[in-house]
Amino acid sequence: AEVNEVILNIPQRPLLKILRKSNIPHASVNDEKELYDAAHAVQSVVVTKLYLYYDNIWWHKLGLHNGDFELSGDAQNMLLQGRYHDGHIECDGDNCEGFLLAVYAHDYGGNKAQYFRRYQRDRPEPVTIISNTDTEGAAFLKHAHHRLREYHLYEVVNASYTGFEAQQVFNNAAEPTFAVLATWNTATFGAGGGWHGWTSLAEVDKATKPLNDFSIHVINEAYSKLQGWAEGSLLLADEVLENYFSVSRP
């Protein structure tokens, strides 16, 4: 069967794999070079996300319901870059349990992921469940809880609670029972990262429509004007449908 138009919802790394094995009839070597320059005009972002599950959500006892927190880390000390309001919780009266978003970090080089990457079970699979039922998992969770304690007792500036109150809360707070670790890196199947950012704004026009002249339309946040959001893909889809398929925007 033959098709006249192809729409590909793929980011940078899968697109590059296709281009390297394609026989697209470029008019010249320079045209082919321009296509590769456009494809390389974005860079994938390494993203790490960590949710800790607590049987008793101690942060509410400190009056922490909203806002962010951050504590620098390295390969031996877990980075903290979280939010109090971004984890699902359930309450039965005064007893509440649920998730704390302890880390939502991203960069181009993967430095912020250095503590977490060795706990990822399988590199192409972004999600890993870390449990306290094994020695390695229990040590990870103990360390994460220790870092949270360290931050809330000693690193918070202009805290809304006293040091004594924090000490009392953490003395009665059990360690998390499990964690959900998500790491999106270059090995993540079908993605090659969490999202993308431009490395050359000079290539934006070509990169947002790299193969449209060949009736191949790439629709993805990677090559959109709103990277990192699904809305970027939708905006690019509207533009391509209108310009190449005569479909009006909704």
Side-chain angles (χ1 to χ4, degrees), residues 117-131:
R117 63 178 61 140
R118 60 183 180 268
Y119 290 96
Q120 187 178 2
R121 294 286 189 266
D122 188 7
R123 279 181 62 81
E125 172 56 48
V127 178
T128 298
I129 305 299
I130 300 176
S131 172

Side-chain angles (χ1 to χ4, degrees), residues 96-172:
C96 298
E97 58 186 274
F99 290 96
L100 174 67
L101 177 59
V103 179
Y104 192 4
H106 53 86
D107 59 10
Y108 289 108
N111 287 333
K112 292 184 177 181
Q114 60 182 315
Y115 180 85
F116 307 95
R117 63 178 61 140
R118 60 183 180 268
Y119 290 96
Q120 187 178 2
R121 294 286 189 266
D122 188 7
R123 279 181 62 81
E125 172 56 48
V127 178
T128 298
I129 305 299
I130 300 176
S131 172
N132 66 357
T133 56
D134 62 80
T135 302
E136 181 189 26
F140 177 96
L141 296 168
K142 185 179 186 67
H143 177 73
H145 186 70
H146 172 77
R147 292 287 284 168
L148 287 165
R149 178 190 180 101
E150 177 185 358
Y151 170 78
H152 288 90
L153 263 66
Y154 308 115
E155 301 294 339
V156 178
V157 177
N158 297 323
S160 59
Y161 51 83
T162 67
F164 176 77
E165 289 171 332
Q167 188 74 52
Q168 292 297 106
V169 166
F170 274 98
N171 284 346
N172 294 298

Side-chain angles (χ1 to χ4, degrees), residues 58-70:
W58 51 264
W59 55 98
H60 278 198
K61 292 180 169 59
L62 293 175
L64 301 171
H65 298 270
N66 296 283
D68 305 333
F69 56 91
E70 185 171 350

Side-chain angles (χ1 to χ4, degrees), residues 6 10-11 24 44 46 48 50 94 120 128 164 199 213 223:
V6 176
I10 55 175
I24 295 173
S44 60
V46 178
T48 302
L50 177 71
D94 294 331
Q120 187 178 2
T128 298
F164 176 77
T199 60
D213 291 341
Y223 296 102

Side-chain angles (χ1 to χ4, degrees), residues 11-41:
Q12 181 192 43
R13 291 179 70 84
L15 175 62
L16 287 170
K17 287 183 179 181
I18 292 174
L19 292 178
R20 290 162 186 158
K21 293 182 177 294
S22 71
N23 56 357
I24 295 173
H26 297 284
S28 67
V29 173
N30 187 61
D31 284 350
E32 184 176 10
K33 178 182 179 300
E34 288 182 355
L35 175 59
Y36 275 104
D37 286 345
H40 281 285

Side-chain angles (χ1 to χ4, degrees), residues 47-51 83 86 101 103-105 180-184:
V47 182
T48 302
K49 209 168 188 180
L50 177 71
Y51 284 97
R83 303 169 182 165
D86 202 5
L101 177 59
V103 179
Y104 192 4
V180 181
L181 173 65
T183 46
W184 292 272

